[in-house]
Amino acid sequence: ALAGPGFTAIATHDDTMIARAERTLAGSRAAAEGRYEFQLLYGVRPQLQQALVARGHPVRVCAPFGTDWYVYFGRRLAERPANVWFVVRSMVRG
């Protein structure tokens, strides 16, 4: 997606995926033209969000809301059980 002409949203908290995206972005047209952003969930790994911004990346912090937020949250956790640990660590670390 980063090699194409469109806008790319990189929505992950996974360090390996983020590192790969950063390698791909280095010197790319997508980076030069600002055609991407990292998207992370509010309250999950806020230090990562700050680090990405400090490295010059645009970051959008997303917060599910509305009456079905818990269903959405449950689906995200079920899709990738490691997300449970991200949430727990974020809650413990504050």
Side-chain angles (χ1 to χ4, degrees), residues 71-90:
V71 174
Y72 168 86
F73 182 69
R75 276 197 319 270
R76 299 291 79 78
L77 294 179
E79 286 173 357
R80 188 166 186 271
N83 288 342
V84 173
W85 295 115
F86 288 137
V87 172
V88 171
R89 277 187 292 209
S90 293

Side-chain angles (χ1 to χ4, degrees), residues 8-94:
T8 301
I10 305 162
T12 184
H13 290 269
D14 183 270
D15 291 324
T16 302
M17 293 177 74
I18 290 169
R20 183 172 181 185
E22 287 184 302
R23 286 192 304 272
T24 302
L25 284 163
S28 72
R29 285 185 62 192
E33 296 171 3
R35 293 187 291 103
Y36 78 99
E37 69 184 12
F38 285 93
Q39 296 180 350
L40 299 111
L41 289 172
Y42 177 79
V44 180
R45 301 188 67 194
Q47 297 87 357
L48 172 61
Q49 297 165 10
Q50 294 168 357
L52 287 167
V53 169
R55 293 196 298 262
H57 298 294
V59 173
R60 181 180 306 260
V61 178
C62 304
F65 64 95
T67 57
D68 293 328
W69 73 269
Y70 187 77
V71 174
Y72 168 86
F73 182 69
R75 276 197 319 270
R76 299 291 79 78
L77 294 179
E79 286 173 357
R80 188 166 186 271
N83 288 342
V84 173
W85 295 115
F86 288 137
V87 172
V88 171
R89 277 187 292 209
S90 293
M91 291 170 62
V92 171
R93 290 182 189 166

